[in-house]
Amino acid sequence: MADPTGEPPKAKPRKKAPAKKKRKGKKRTVTEADLIEFLLSTDLLSDLPEPTLVDLASKVKFHELDSEEELAVLGAPRPDPGPMYVVLKGELKIQAKAGAEWRMQNLTPRGEFFFDRAVDPAGDQEIRLSAMQPTELLEVPYSEANAILNVDP
């Protein structure tokens, strides 16, 4: 119907989509069987014998991060190497402190792994690890990761 004033009809305002709810506080519970399944899903660890997988599952930690959530800041100096992180889903952002600024060093995508010494061999830089998007990863203690890599590089 035409407006009696001769003006064109106004468009109806669009409805805003409801805001997505954050998952914070609703992290899932992970069983040892889940951890073994996660280990088997990675190229790096899928060929390990069953007893090794069961033992490793008792030593790894599962992390579930929201987008931009910080996993850790590895201080400097670090005399001992940090753990190995295996990305199951999402992407891990690695930044190193240069003066007062954080600078991007690397992105670790799904299926890849990260050691702090790959970015900072001497262990004398501060390194920050955070998720680029919702991310799931495993934290493998250095001694375990090193033993695995020495047996099957």
Side-chain angles (χ1 to χ4, degrees), residues 91-105:
E91 203 167 32
L92 188 64
K93 175 173 56 174
I94 294 93
Q95 297 173 298
K97 198 161 198 178
E101 291 184 23
W102 288 100
R103 300 221 171 147
M104 179 70 81
Q105 293 294 311

Side-chain angles (χ1 to χ4, degrees), residues 15-83:
K15 291 182 181 178
K16 288 186 179 180
K20 289 185 179 180
K21 294 181 181 178
K22 290 217 171 211
R23 296 180 309 158
K24 287 204 182 273
K26 293 191 177 185
K27 307 289 181 174
R28 69 177 160 164
T29 303
V30 177
T31 66
E32 187 173 296
D34 293 329
L35 291 172
I36 292 171
E37 188 176 319
F38 293 151
L39 293 168
L40 286 169
S41 73
T42 66
D43 289 339
L44 176 68
L45 305 170
S46 63
D47 293 334
L48 293 175
E50 186 177 346
T52 305
L53 284 169
V54 171
D55 182 52
L56 188 57
S58 69
K59 297 174 182 170
V60 300
K61 292 180 188 172
F62 175 76
H63 297 278
E64 188 175 21
L65 307 172
D66 290 320
S67 184
E68 298 302 320
E69 185 176 346
E70 192 173 272
L71 171 66
V73 174
L74 307 175
R78 289 182 312 287
D80 299 320

Side-chain angles (χ1 to χ4, degrees), residues 125-147:
Q125 278 188 305
E126 196 170 353
I127 296 175
R128 179 168 59 193
L129 309 173
S130 57
M132 289 288 291
Q133 57 199 17
T135 300
E136 295 177 355
L137 52 99
L138 295 175
E139 178 180 329
V140 182
Y142 176 78
S143 59
E144 300 300 319
N146 193 43

